[in-house]
Amino acid sequence: MIELIPAIDIIDGQCVRLTRGDYSTQKVYASDPVDMALRLQDMGFRRLHVVDLDGARSRHVVNAAVLARIVAQTTLCVDFGGGIKTDDDLRLVFDAGAAMATLGSIAVTAPDTVDTWLQQWGTERFVLGADARNGRISINGWHDDSTLELMPFIEGYMQQDLRRVLCTDINCDGTLQGPSLQLYTDIMRRHPNCHLIASGGVANIDDIRALDRAGVPAVVFGKAMYEGRIDLPALLEEFPQQ
């Protein structure tokens, strides 16, 4: 059964969503991420994906204090990404209570550093952020496109036993036009042992059903939740979380 992971993206201490990673499209949905996290927990969710958009843009962790408040006031299993560039950033995130750190840009620009972290902390503490636009990995808050292609990027880290992969098709993110089902199916066909987390474009429960039927282990969703396009109690009744 598919794992349901609601997302809280943070700018200036508020819950926001962007479209295709464009900061000029920012829309605020809630003033307090902790209140939102508590509501999600009360509904029955067990996981939470927190994105430090301030950190992604400034290239260092900014919202560790918000993370610490969420962890202190809920029992949610939280993964946190955005701005993790240095040993100090990573330690800040783990000291704030994140169960996992999501590594995106750093996994592209400094793979040797990531290799050291994997050995030091264990692969179970990390999620690979594979954010792609037109088949190539994007970095620095999706502002810059790298030369790395998505599939070899994933394969390289799978060989290091990093099995949690959060894959976002940036062209779909925030559009509410449906996820890249064929892309996720291709990844699962190549890597059946990958704990793939699909992200981007989810508009309704039917999209989540389609991902579940395709064998995708987990899904992140945000805008559809905030805009009331997903009946969350009905979703949890159909896909109860353990």
Side-chain angles (χ1 to χ4, degrees):
M1 183 177 297
I2 196 165
E3 182 181 29
L4 305 173
I5 310 176
I8 291 179
D9 294 1
I10 304 171
I11 293 179
D12 295 331
Q14 301 181 103
C15 298
V16 306
R17 297 301 292 177
L18 310 179
T19 300
R20 298 189 177 98
D22 184 349
Y23 281 76
S24 70
T25 65
Q26 172 185 331
K27 184 175 180 179
V28 177
Y29 286 96
S31 60
D32 188 347
V34 179
D35 286 345
M36 177 59 65
L38 285 165
R39 287 168 53 193
L40 293 168
Q41 176 180 271
D42 290 346
M43 287 180 193
F45 290 102
R46 298 289 178 261
R47 282 275 281 108
L48 183 65
H49 176 57
V50 176
V51 182
D52 184 351
L53 289 175
D54 294 309
R57 183 160 50 180
S58 62
R59 305 187 187 186
H60 64 87
V61 172
V62 173
N63 286 293
V66 178
L67 166 64
R69 289 173 55 220
I70 291 173
V71 172
Q73 297 184 46
T74 74
T75 59
L76 294 166
C77 178
V78 181
D79 76 270
F80 181 95
I84 301 173
K85 304 289 189 184
T86 65
D87 289 347
D88 288 343
D89 287 323
L90 182 62
R91 191 168 297 279
L92 188 62
V93 167
F94 284 151
D95 286 350
M100 291 167 280
T102 299
L103 306 178
S105 300
I106 188 72
V108 176
T109 61
D112 289 344
T113 297
V114 172
D115 181 58
T116 298
W117 290 349
L118 296 177
Q119 294 182 46
Q120 178 180 358
W121 297 93
T123 57
E124 70 279 357
R125 296 298 304 274
F126 296 96
V127 178
L128 178 65
D131 305 325
R133 181 166 34 224
N134 302 323
R136 295 186 183 274
I137 298 295
S138 292
I139 59 175
N140 299 326
W142 301 351
H143 184 266
D144 304 313
D145 290 332
S146 76
T147 59
L148 289 176
E149 294 184 357
L150 173 62
M151 289 300 184
F153 177 69
I154 292 174
E155 288 163 5
Y157 280 102
M158 285 288 293
Q159 290 173 4
Q160 297 185 61
D161 204 34
L162 181 52
R163 299 191 177 278
R164 284 193 181 90
V165 177
L166 173 63
C167 183
T168 303
D169 184 338
I170 296 168
N171 288 327
C172 294
D173 191 72
T175 65
L176 300 173
Q177 294 177 355
S180 294
L181 189 61
Q182 186 59 56
L183 171 63
Y184 302 131
T185 301
D186 289 345
I187 294 172
M188 291 304 302
R189 186 178 65 250
R190 293 192 189 199
H191 301 288
N193 295 323
C194 174
H195 188 83
L196 178 63
I197 306 167
S199 173
V202 170
N204 50 48
I205 292 181
D206 284 341
D207 287 335
I208 295 175
R209 290 175 180 137
L211 291 166
D212 183 57
R213 286 195 299 271
V216 176
V219 58
V220 163
F221 51 91
K223 182 175 283 190
M225 170 182 71
Y226 289 118
E227 297 203 348
R229 293 171 177 253
I230 296 177
D231 183 333
L232 296 180
L235 178 65
L236 286 162
E237 184 176 356
E238 185 169 344
F239 301 103
Q241 302 296 285
Q242 301 300 319

